[in-house]
Amino acid sequence: MPHQPTAWFAWRPGSHLAPADAPRAPLLAADSFLVQDGRARFLAGHRARFQAACRAAGAGPGLDVAGFLDQAADRLPRTGAWFPRIELLGGHRPVLGLRLRPAPARTTQVRLSPWYGPDPRTCPRRKGPDLDALAALRAHAREKGADDYLLTAPGGWGSEATSATLLWWDGEQLCLPAPRLPVLPGITAAWITARATRLGVPLAPRPARPADLSGHEVWLVNALHGIRPVTAWPHTPYRAGPAPRAAAWQQAWQDAARPLPAPQPAARP
């Protein structure tokens, strides 16, 4: 597929999405998902999370977030691989927009290091405001020979990576960070835990420090890569455990893609 540039579309409430230059304004809320040849995963979950984020950011009903999301879905390409981002930008007049971007390279495994420095997040339970700070921290991890950092809460408890939810296995139990920890509600993680429940897999929310994860099957999960097992803990004494379950669960995630909704017919003038 030839290189496709990023494009931005602004929402005109009660009207349509139109190509525009993205305003220089704070990112108040955002959500992203993978689209491959007209298929995507868990759009209802991404839609609901974005609507909740917009409400938390103070977006009023005049923006018509639901109407924007309907038209954004119609704008998504039906060929190629894309990683669109729906956005609420702040400023004097908040605006909704669709950032249409080609999908970046995807990987099947990850090298993870703990981050014990200051937490760069200001809104850990709302996606959007902290994306630039988290991207900078992730770039720092790569400079140090890892792919991502595991953020830690006071006491050294692991919470999440800069762009993915942390999950791990302890025997037959699928473990996830304790609910009291500052973690973004992950859409892919929600699908995994729902599937685990259907399969009779016990779920175990619990606090864990990075040392507690040594030797275990550890996953980072998100909407771009799906499920990636941790295969190394650079610059630590921790050992990456074998990941015998990851391939089957990743295949189930691949199979969960569904066709995008058919575009709505344009309104007559």
Side-chain angles (χ1 to χ4, degrees):
M1 173 182 167
H3 175 74
Q4 298 286 342
T6 296
W8 200 80
F9 300 87
W11 172 237
R12 310 277 195 270
S15 178
H16 59 282
L17 279 167
D21 293 326
R24 297 181 179 272
L27 184 60
L28 302 181
D31 225 291
S32 305
F33 45 88
L34 181 63
V35 177
Q36 296 170 291
D37 293 326
R39 299 173 70 85
R41 296 169 186 82
F42 327 130
L43 284 185
H46 287 285
R47 179 180 179 120
R49 185 172 67 176
F50 182 71
Q51 289 176 301
C54 288
R55 290 192 297 270
L63 281 177
D64 187 14
V65 177
F68 159 71
L69 292 171
D70 290 341
Q71 289 224 2
D74 288 351
R75 276 277 183 180
L76 299 176
R78 267 57 181 178
T79 59
W82 300 85
F83 196 53
R85 190 167 81 187
I86 46 180
E87 302 176 344
L88 173 66
L89 298 174
H92 177 63
R93 296 182 62 184
V95 61
L96 290 161
L98 168 66
R99 193 175 299 272
L100 195 56
R101 351 174 253 188
R106 298 181 297 285
T107 59
T108 58
Q109 58 190 36
V110 61
R111 299 166 299 172
L112 187 62
S113 287
W115 173 254
Y116 296 110
D119 190 335
R121 298 171 298 172
T122 60
C123 298
R125 298 187 187 275
R126 181 181 4 133
K127 187 171 183 177
D130 302 318
L131 286 178
D132 286 345
L134 290 168
L137 189 58
R138 190 164 58 254
H140 184 270
R142 290 169 179 162
E143 291 173 1
K144 299 299 183 180
D147 299 306
D148 208 342
Y149 277 130
L150 174 62
L151 305 178
T152 56
W157 305 111
S159 58
E160 62 184 354
T162 66
S163 63
T165 304
L166 170 72
L167 299 173
W168 70 99
W169 291 85
D170 185 1
E172 297 303 315
Q173 291 185 320
L174 177 60
C175 304
L176 51 156
R180 63 177 172 79
L181 293 173
V183 173
L184 181 76
I187 304 304
T188 303
W191 171 80
I192 290 171
T193 55
R195 183 173 187 264
T197 298
R198 291 195 303 272
L199 295 176
V201 175
L203 299 177
R206 64 175 63 161
R209 295 184 174 93
D212 300 325
L213 304 176
S214 181
H216 289 272
E217 179 170 1
V218 179
W219 296 350
L220 292 188
V221 307
N222 66 12
L224 176 62
H225 302 286
I227 298 165
R228 292 182 297 169
V230 173
T231 55
W233 291 88
H235 312 300
T236 76
Y238 311 142
R239 177 175 60 86
R245 302 172 181 85
W249 281 78
Q250 175 73 347
Q251 185 60 57
W253 177 82
Q254 294 283 0
D255 295 343
R258 297 290 181 267
L260 295 170
Q264 298 299 308
R268 293 182 180 179

